[in-house]
Amino acid sequence: MKKYDYIIIGQGIAGSWLARSLLKMGKSVLVVDKNVPVSSSGISAGIINPVTGKNFVKTWKATELLSYARMAYEQFEKEAGIRVFRELQIYRLFKNEAHRAQWLAKYDIEELGEFVINKDLSLYNTQLYNPHGGFLMKGAVLSTNLFLEYLRNEWREKGILTETNFEYKELKTEEPEIQWRDILASKVVFAEGWHALKNPYFSWLPFNAVKGELLTIKAPKLRIEMLVNRGIFLLPLGEDIYRVGATYTWDQLDAVPSAQARTYLEQEIGKLIQTPFQILDHQAGVRPATHDRRPFLGRHPIHRNMFIFNGMGTKGISLAPYFAHQMADYLERDQGLDPEADIQRFRQLCK
């Protein structure tokens, strides 16, 4: 039997960053991922946004997360020799004058200036329907598919990745080693995204998985170079192509695009831009969100060589690099986990 230090289940944004962190520590890692055509990481728009929601909430740990993500993705680019990460200004439009007043009051009270370029910008583009103005802030975007595919190809060539369907029943958990098929490992880490809902070892955690859908459109007359957000986002990809989203559905967890979501997004685009557009693609995926909107990191309360690294939700692009580093230190150096992310906060739910 071949032996590894770690088996990591899942090669989404979370599993990829954890595997990368452990490999940099000199650990032997086997990543198991079926490479399904659609996953939440695979269709992710890759946006890093420091102020979100209708009430202008500062993203949890925004300063340190954004700083670490920038450093981590730029380091990846240097090593890989490809561009996957870019700084991107975000133009957040106000819905009405009351919404604008709410923002200006919050800006003064909560000290959001480190993220904001212009707190009250009246007009950006005449092709936008924008009667109430908005504010301009710093953001970034990751070419998620390019990032994940580069790692997949590299790890496939090096024998670090096995592309197969993982069955929980094939896992033998007797300590001190984990056995999966003909592989032995000291530790197994589950990073399988929303599929953790079916994981017999961690299904007790309070996931709040949510389906999201995106459109890709072409709008030759729009000519926008920054991300625009008012209810939905409009992300420029180049050559007059834009990614538009997203929807939120909790009662139908699958990767099948729906007519209802398409209609909703079409209508919202029509309220946002004043120029013709053509729909090129429609995608859906399920995000591994959690009830308290914090990640799930840590050791199983009973199986001491079994761990989880999951629950990144819509913030995975910024959360994964930071917490992968922390998780690797926890696994290898017995460093503590952030209490707000450690699954010990839900230990009483484990049966």
Side-chain angles (χ1 to χ4, degrees):
M1 288 190 180
K2 193 166 184 180
K3 184 173 179 179
Y4 292 84
D5 294 317
Y6 293 91
I7 297 174
I8 295 178
I9 311 302
Q11 198 246 324
I13 198 72
S16 292
W17 269 110
L18 182 59
R20 180 173 162 81
S21 296
L22 290 168
L23 288 166
K24 282 186 169 295
M25 289 181 165
K27 300 291 110 181
S28 58
V29 175
L30 179 67
V31 179
V32 181
D33 189 278
K34 189 178 179 181
N35 192 19
V36 294
V38 177
S39 68
S40 60
S41 290
I43 74 157
S44 167
I47 299 166
I48 296 179
N49 185 350
V51 181
T52 61
K54 63 181 181 180
N55 294 320
F56 312 112
V57 177
K58 179 180 175 180
T59 298
W60 178 58
K61 293 184 177 293
T63 301
E64 53 200 301
L65 285 176
L66 270 60
S67 176
Y68 193 91
R70 183 180 296 107
M71 178 273 294
Y73 287 114
E74 288 177 352
Q75 181 63 38
F76 168 84
E77 289 181 326
K78 289 178 183 178
E79 295 174 8
I82 59 173
R83 292 293 305 277
V84 297
F85 184 81
R86 61 188 169 109
E87 305 286 343
L88 184 73
Q89 294 182 356
I90 299 174
Y91 186 32
R92 176 74 185 271
L93 277 61
F94 301 127
K95 296 179 180 179
N96 49 48
E97 287 304 310
H99 200 222
R100 176 175 173 271
Q102 179 188 358
W103 157 252
L104 292 174
K106 192 147 194 172
Y107 177 85
D108 291 334
I109 294 171
E110 299 200 7
E111 300 179 350
L112 300 171
E114 65 177 303
F115 308 114
V116 176
I117 301 168
N118 188 322
K119 69 176 184 179
D120 194 7
L121 183 63
S122 61
L123 181 66
Y124 163 59
N125 184 302
T126 56
Q127 297 300 326
L128 289 173
Y129 179 70
N130 183 29
H132 306 288
F135 64 94
L136 194 62
M137 63 181 163
K138 302 172 186 176
V141 64
L142 175 72
S143 297
T144 312
N145 273 331
L146 185 58
F147 172 74
L148 295 177
E149 194 61 30
Y150 178 91
L151 291 176
R152 177 172 289 273
N153 291 335
E154 178 185 48
W155 292 345
R156 185 190 293 122
E157 292 175 6
K158 293 181 177 179
I160 293 170
L161 172 74
T162 180
E163 295 174 290
T164 186
N165 189 38
F166 178 82
E167 298 286 347
Y168 299 104
K169 63 184 179 182
E170 296 181 305
L171 197 67
K172 297 179 181 179
T173 62
E174 291 84 358
E175 294 186 28
E177 292 180 315
I178 289 281
Q179 182 180 343
W180 174 71
R181 297 184 181 177
D182 60 347
I183 302 294
L184 291 176
S186 299
K187 298 170 183 175
V188 61
V189 184
F190 292 100
E192 72 267 61
W194 77 277
H195 295 289
L197 291 171
K198 303 174 184 177
N199 186 321
Y201 304 104
F202 289 101
S203 59
W204 49 273
L205 286 169
F207 280 93
N208 190 29
V210 55
K211 179 178 178 178
E213 302 190 43
L214 304 174
L215 297 181
T216 303
I217 68 169
K218 185 166 187 176
K221 295 183 179 180
L222 190 53
R223 307 293 171 86
I224 288 177
E225 297 180 356
M226 63 181 70
L227 186 147
V228 175
N229 185 310
R230 188 181 64 219
I232 61 169
F233 66 78
L234 190 72
L235 171 65
L237 302 179
E239 299 183 351
D240 301 323
I241 307 297
Y242 301 85
R243 185 72 57 82
V244 182
T247 62
Y248 297 84
T249 305
W250 287 266
D251 59 356
Q252 186 178 354
L253 300 180
D254 58 45
V256 181
S258 68
Q260 181 180 4
R262 180 185 175 112
T263 298
Y264 167 78
L265 290 172
E266 274 192 271
Q267 291 174 344
E268 292 302 306
I269 296 169
K271 297 175 185 176
L272 185 60
I273 68 175
Q274 304 185 79
T275 184
F277 63 91
Q278 173 190 1
I279 296 176
L280 304 179
D281 196 15
H282 180 191
Q283 295 174 296
V286 181
R287 314 175 188 96
T290 67
H291 276 281
D292 64 358
R293 299 186 180 183
R294 299 291 182 264
F296 289 156
L297 281 65
R299 186 195 301 266
H300 193 279
I302 299 170
H303 302 287
R304 306 303 292 168
N305 51 3
M306 189 176 289
F307 302 80
I308 190 168
F309 186 65
N310 205 329
M312 305 290 163
T314 60
K315 307 293 185 184
I317 303 302
S318 57
L319 289 170
Y322 178 90
F323 280 105
H325 177 79
Q326 186 178 114
M327 185 74 177
D329 277 345
Y330 170 75
L331 291 166
E332 282 299 309
R333 298 167 181 157
D334 203 27
Q335 299 291 318
L337 294 172
D338 188 310
E340 290 189 78
D342 192 335
I343 60 170
Q344 289 299 312
R345 67 195 193 273
F346 298 115
R347 185 187 179 103
Q348 74 279 6
L349 300 179
C350 182
K351 298 178 181 179

